[in-house]
Amino acid sequence: MIRYYERQKTFWLRGKSYDYVMYVNGAGFLQNLHYGGRIDENDLGELIRRGDLLCPPQNVNGELALDAMPGEYGFFGRGDFREPTAVIERHDGASMSRFRYVSHEIRNGAPRLKGLPHARSADATLAVTLRDDFSPSEITLYYVVFDGSDALVRYAELKNAGSEPVRLKRAFSFCNELPSGDYKMLRLFGAWATECRVETTQIGRGVTRLQSLRGVSSYGLNPFAAIMRDGCTETQGECYGAQLVYSGNWAITAEKSFSGSVRVQGGVNDFGFSWELGAGETFVAPQAVLCYSGEGLGQLSREYADFIRERIMRPEFACSHRPLVANNWEATFFDFNAEKLLPIIDGAAELGADTFVLDDGWFGERNFDNAGLGDWVVNTEKLEGGLKTLIERCKKRGLKFGLWFEPEMVNEDSELFRAHPEWVIAKAGVEPVRGRNQLVLDLTRPEVVDYIFNSVSKILSENDIAYVKWDFNRDLTEFYSASIPANRQGEFAHRFILGSYNLMERLTSAFPEVFFEGCAGGGRRFDAGVLYYFPQIWTSDNTDGFERTRIQWGTSLCYPVSAMSCHVAACPNHQTGRTTPLNTRCVVASLGATGCELDCSKLTDGEKAEIKSHIKNYKQIEELVLRGDLYRLSNPFETNMFCEMLVSKDKTKAYVAGEVFLGGPFGGYANVLRLRGLSERKTYKIEELGIIASGRTLAVLGVPVPQLGDFGAWAWHITESEE
Ligand code: GLA
């Protein structure tokens, strides 16, 4: 709901459980009055009275009075000494700004952002246009509102309405002011094979900044922050989320002022950034999804999960059956031929998988990671008869066929590089940094995007391919393109990601029936931007039955479990060397889009039976993975046990899956798990335990932790009971 109160010049935005109120104050600035839990509309007068105290209109012209105003967009060089939201440098070098309200518009639905991922649908959008006092610059702030949701999408459009060019030195997407209080900031940090670790720290005075300077959203920090009010936990208290629908260099900052208020901002990283806006041109900053929860982090995560499934993912795939993949990577790495793959296909079919995916190594001279990238032509020496032989075998076994690509990359030892050495990101005379022996293609050049589109399209149209795994195995380093003028190199990083989005958009539109899965050496590019094109992402190269509980837990903070690709792998684990029971690996892999990452042709009968039954069980709970609500019951970072629970929206079904670690809790009634998310009034049956009890009792008394030994895991299926 969006309402405008003409007389008070006040905008009232309302979602499922939040209110967001702002007004045009006496001085003409757009000032925040409230963002948080539901308040009473009759108290508008009181809100305005408080707002007027923070920014007395008589003091703002020529006085240092803006430092305490909770602005909807921070100014620069006019007495607000916190970090600004935009810095716009004019041709004379001046960049002070002070934006005042000009007009607004309330429209139905969601705006479509050309070239940028965005919320696909919404109930209403408010666009407020502000104009600078000192230059012909305009900013339009967008607020996209969803009834029945606590997500609020924000972004900004900056326009040069003058006749001289201007240079944007910062152009964040949003500015959000939280009232004085003690807040903590939760972030998801990591590295290869240890994605989405959770760290929470107090927000102190000064600026706390999360960011990526790797050219991708990155393992280092995920483009998300949760700002938690004092006392907020998994199950209670207030918190706010800020998530960027963006996959390039990004920043989210939280600046705590003298008074204790916190200004949260974010968008495209301004470090090394600049963007020239010619006369009449506009710059659209990527969308940010703010979210409010008055019931702890768990509720925040469920709101994000719903938002991403319902508004970001491609609707035809979001909640439909996902390919149940058997992938050959950990089975063969680069060392395969048709003879080796055919039995793996047979084995995959026997297990009940429905898609076989041929990973890296099928093209060009790709026999190791130092050659072939960029040459998307089947290596028929390795695969006699091309892909056809494999696809035919898949069809015969009732499987679909999937294929791996790494479209944005190139090896120097490749036909592509030999033909077009100028197409890589590099600066003449500066030795480029290599990552996994590869360079990155310069996607700021349209001819490069065209080449990739054509060569990948050729393979996809000549073969019956139902699934694509789209990888991206290194960070960007040189941030330079010879095709961009010297004074505009600051545009490179953002232009690169626009090139990637363009490629993703073109390929997914040209092959609408193909299911694309994102990957970037695991979760290097796990973000809402990628999820707009690819509904699922390979969560991590780490397939260890213990490590995965942490990676998946962290990732679930702001992404639905259906966005996570979770495969059962062999032991000892390739990444950690750890051996965990096969059942444990299956249980952990059931909490996401499941699949197999092992040699399906070399399993013992016992292993086969176990994986078969995992796949069969998974099919029964897939609906919960795709559409259910996640309740995190036992935190693997803080306790020696991991447990999560999925509950259907109508609360008639649930699934609980957990694992005890080394030295975990003993079984028996001494340690119980309190189930959450069930209806208090309904009676449920836990199939595996034969327990029949009400949702209320299961929440209050809990269920005993099973006695399983180190790295043992369990899964319980819960249904509403008629008994
Ligand atoms: C990355 C991916 C793996 C696999 C390899 C292939 O590391 O994360 O799953 O596809 O590349 O080279």
Side-chain angles (χ1 to χ4, degrees):
M1 177 209 91
I2 300 176
R3 192 164 288 165
Y4 179 59
Y5 297 83
E6 180 79 50
R7 198 167 52 81
Q8 295 93 336
K9 291 192 174 161
T10 300
F11 301 95
W12 197 298
L13 279 47
R14 175 166 281 181
K16 187 166 74 183
S17 52
Y18 75 86
D19 279 322
Y20 193 113
V21 191
M22 57 193 160
Y23 78 141
V24 179
N25 68 18
F29 304 125
L30 189 61
Q31 180 179 330
N32 189 279
L33 293 175
H34 170 70
Y35 180 32
R38 188 56 52 79
I39 49 172
D40 198 323
E41 278 178 83
N42 295 328
D43 295 331
L44 186 55
E46 171 61 14
L47 282 183
I48 290 177
R49 195 185 65 80
R50 292 181 189 204
D52 286 349
L53 290 176
L54 284 174
C55 183
Q58 64 276 17
N59 280 355
V60 294
N61 287 312
E63 297 286 334
L64 295 179
L66 292 178
D67 210 28
M69 183 182 83
E72 286 293 305
Y73 211 78
F75 314 146
F76 182 58
R78 290 301 291 182
D80 177 351
F81 298 105
R82 294 162 296 178
E83 288 200 349
T85 316
V87 179
I88 306 167
E89 188 181 84
R90 274 89 71 180
H91 68 287
D92 61 4
S95 50
M96 71 291 285
S97 67
R98 193 172 57 192
F99 286 89
R100 298 194 207 231
Y101 170 86
V102 179
S103 62
H104 75 271
E105 216 185 309
I106 298 173
R107 305 174 200 150
N108 285 333
R112 289 180 62 80
L113 267 55
K114 204 168 167 288
L116 277 173
H118 55 270
R120 291 172 192 271
S121 61
D123 294 291
T125 300
L126 166 69
V128 187
T129 299
L130 317 174
R131 188 171 301 136
D132 188 12
D133 282 348
F134 317 110
S135 76
S137 302
E138 284 177 9
I139 292 178
T140 302
L141 305 181
Y142 289 88
Y143 300 81
V144 189
V145 173
F146 313 88
D147 293 345
S149 162
D150 282 324
L152 166 68
V153 164
R154 301 246 342 234
Y155 71 101
E157 210 175 275
L158 285 79
K159 181 170 180 190
N160 175 8
S163 52
E164 301 282 348
V166 300
R167 186 179 297 274
L168 306 180
K169 293 166 85 181
R170 169 182 282 196
F172 276 171
S173 303
F174 71 98
C175 169
N176 186 209
E177 305 263 6
L178 301 176
S180 298
D182 282 331
Y183 296 94
K184 291 197 173 96
M185 188 189 246
L186 176 151
R187 73 276 269 153
L188 303 173
F189 73 101
W192 176 76
T194 47
E195 290 88 344
C196 288
R197 299 262 149 140
V198 181
E199 184 176 67
T200 307
T201 56
Q202 195 74 34
I203 299 179
R205 291 301 187 300
V207 179
T208 306
R209 184 178 173 103
L210 310 185
Q211 66 173 358
S212 166
L213 283 171
R214 294 164 183 264
V216 279
S217 46
S218 98
Y219 299 125
L221 284 163
N222 194 275
F224 164 75
I227 315 287
M228 304 155 70
R229 249 189 197 271
D230 215 21
C232 174
T233 65
E234 177 68 20
T235 52
Q236 60 192 35
E238 285 191 302
C239 54
Y240 300 84
Q243 178 184 54
L244 299 174
V245 187
Y246 189 59
S247 315
N249 280 350
W250 59 273
I252 295 176
T253 63
E255 180 167 7
K256 184 165 180 160
S257 69
F258 170 75
S259 71
S261 66
V262 175
R263 171 177 283 184
V264 184
Q265 317 195 78
V268 174
N269 198 328
D270 54 322
F271 190 89
F273 167 85
S274 71
W275 195 274
E276 190 166 307
L277 274 189
E281 284 182 350
T282 52
F283 177 85
V284 181
Q287 291 192 338
V289 190
L290 306 188
C291 193
Y292 169 77
S293 161
E295 295 166 52
L297 282 172
Q299 182 56 21
L300 190 80
S301 304
R302 287 186 287 279
E303 288 296 323
Y304 271 119
D306 282 345
F307 176 80
I308 287 178
R309 290 188 289 212
E310 291 164 17
R311 316 284 180 175
I312 292 286
M313 288 177 177
R314 291 170 64 190
E316 59 277 33
F317 291 119
C319 290
S320 318
H321 166 72
R322 298 293 173 79
L324 221 153
V325 161
N327 179 303
N328 76 308
W329 178 243
E330 291 197 11
T332 63
F333 295 103
F334 292 107
D335 180 19
F336 61 79
N337 52 25
E339 211 178 306
K340 239 187 186 176
L341 295 176
L342 293 177
I344 297 182
I345 294 174
D346 295 346
E350 209 186 316
L351 294 178
D354 54 35
T355 306
F356 167 74
V357 175
L358 179 56
D359 210 280
D360 195 357
W362 57 269
F363 51 90
E365 291 302 313
R366 185 77 167 167
N367 297 311
F368 191 59
D369 67 14
N370 56 358
L373 271 184
D375 299 339
W376 304 113
V377 177
V378 183
N379 180 340
T380 44
E381 263 171 54
K382 223 167 164 178
L383 294 172
E384 236 178 280
L387 299 177
K388 297 268 183 286
T389 316
L390 302 175
I391 294 175
E392 281 316 308
R393 178 64 73 100
C394 282
K395 282 195 178 153
K396 217 161 120 194
R397 300 284 178 194
L399 296 176
K400 291 183 175 162
F401 182 76
L403 199 59
W404 181 95
F405 291 90
E406 197 176 352
E408 293 135 294
M409 300 286 171
V410 65
N411 284 122
E412 286 150 284
D413 184 359
S414 68
E415 295 302 321
L416 178 63
F417 184 79
R418 282 184 279 275
H420 287 290
E422 76 284 9
W423 279 5
V424 300
I425 300 178
K427 164 93 178 72
V430 179
E431 181 75 5
V433 172
R434 290 163 188 93
R436 207 191 187 209
N437 295 310
Q438 66 201 49
L439 300 177
V440 188
L441 289 167
D442 180 357
L443 298 196
T444 67
R445 303 169 76 126
E447 65 275 26
V448 177
V449 175
D450 286 345
Y451 164 82
I452 307 173
F453 174 77
N454 291 331
S455 59
V456 173
S457 291
K458 190 162 187 298
I459 294 280
L460 295 183
S461 40
E462 285 174 358
N463 298 282
D464 200 350
I465 293 171
Y467 165 109
V468 164
K469 177 174 172 186
W470 180 312
D471 216 333
F472 189 97
N473 274 310
R474 58 160 292 180
D475 297 328
L476 269 58
T477 41
E478 281 78 16
F479 295 109
Y480 178 85
S481 173
S483 69
I484 296 179
N487 62 348
R488 298 183 72 162
Q489 289 295 330
E491 300 180 14
F492 176 82
H494 185 57
R495 286 195 185 279
F496 174 84
I497 201 68
L498 294 180
S500 289
Y501 286 152
N502 181 243
L503 184 60
M504 293 176 189
E505 177 69 43
R506 285 171 67 185
L507 279 166
T508 51
S509 309
F511 299 94
E513 68 294 345
V514 174
F515 185 93
F516 284 77
E517 171 167 319
C519 176
R524 174 188 272 115
R525 196 163 63 175
F526 204 120
D527 58 64
V530 168
L531 288 170
Y532 176 85
Y533 303 99
F534 313 152
Q536 194 173 297
I537 299 174
W538 179 231
T539 322
S540 176
D541 275 351
N542 193 336
T543 47
D544 174 272
F546 162 63
E547 289 292 342
R548 268 281 177 151
T549 62
R550 294 177 165 197
I551 293 166
Q552 293 173 202
W553 176 284
T555 308
S556 80
L557 259 298
C558 60
Y559 302 102
V561 291
S562 64
M564 294 183 226
S565 192
C566 302
H567 292 182
V568 179
C571 270
N573 183 268
H574 283 291
Q575 288 73 29
T576 62
R578 184 182 286 117
T579 294
T580 51
L582 180 52
N583 177 56
T584 297
R585 286 171 270 145
C586 291
V587 167
V588 175
S590 68
L591 289 163
T594 208
C596 301
E597 196 81 14
L598 37 68
D599 191 339
C600 306
S601 70
K602 292 205 179 115
L603 300 170
T604 64
D605 287 347
E607 286 169 335
K608 266 189 216 162
E610 212 161 335
I611 298 177
K612 253 180 162 167
S613 110
H614 158 62
I615 290 180
K616 206 168 137 224
N617 288 337
Y618 181 79
K619 288 180 179 164
Q620 281 173 15
I621 61 146
E622 187 179 22
E623 218 25 53
L624 290 171
V625 171
L626 293 171
R627 295 169 197 267
D629 284 328
L630 179 76
Y631 290 82
R632 290 181 295 253
L633 303 188
S634 183
N635 186 334
F637 293 102
E638 292 171 2
T639 68
N640 268 348
M641 181 170 64
F642 159 80
C643 189
E644 288 181 354
M645 175 167 178
L646 291 165
V647 183
S648 65
K649 292 273 179 202
D650 66 1
K651 302 200 179 288
T652 58
K653 271 199 190 133
Y655 174 70
V656 180
E659 177 181 341
V660 281
F661 308 144
L662 272 180
F666 302 122
Y669 278 92
N671 292 299
V672 292
L673 273 163
R674 292 173 160 190
L675 305 191
R676 288 204 293 269
L678 298 173
S679 160
E680 290 198 348
R681 287 181 306 276
K682 285 190 195 318
T683 303
Y684 295 94
K685 178 168 186 186
I686 306 180
E687 305 290 339
E688 290 75 4
L689 306 179
I691 292 178
I692 297 179
S694 72
R696 182 195 295 269
T697 301
L698 294 171
V700 174
L701 286 189
V703 177
V705 173
Q707 196 141 30
L708 292 162
D710 298 332
F711 300 115
W714 72 93
W716 300 328
H717 297 79
I718 301 178
T719 44
E720 188 179 0
S721 166
E722 304 300 323
E723 290 170 49

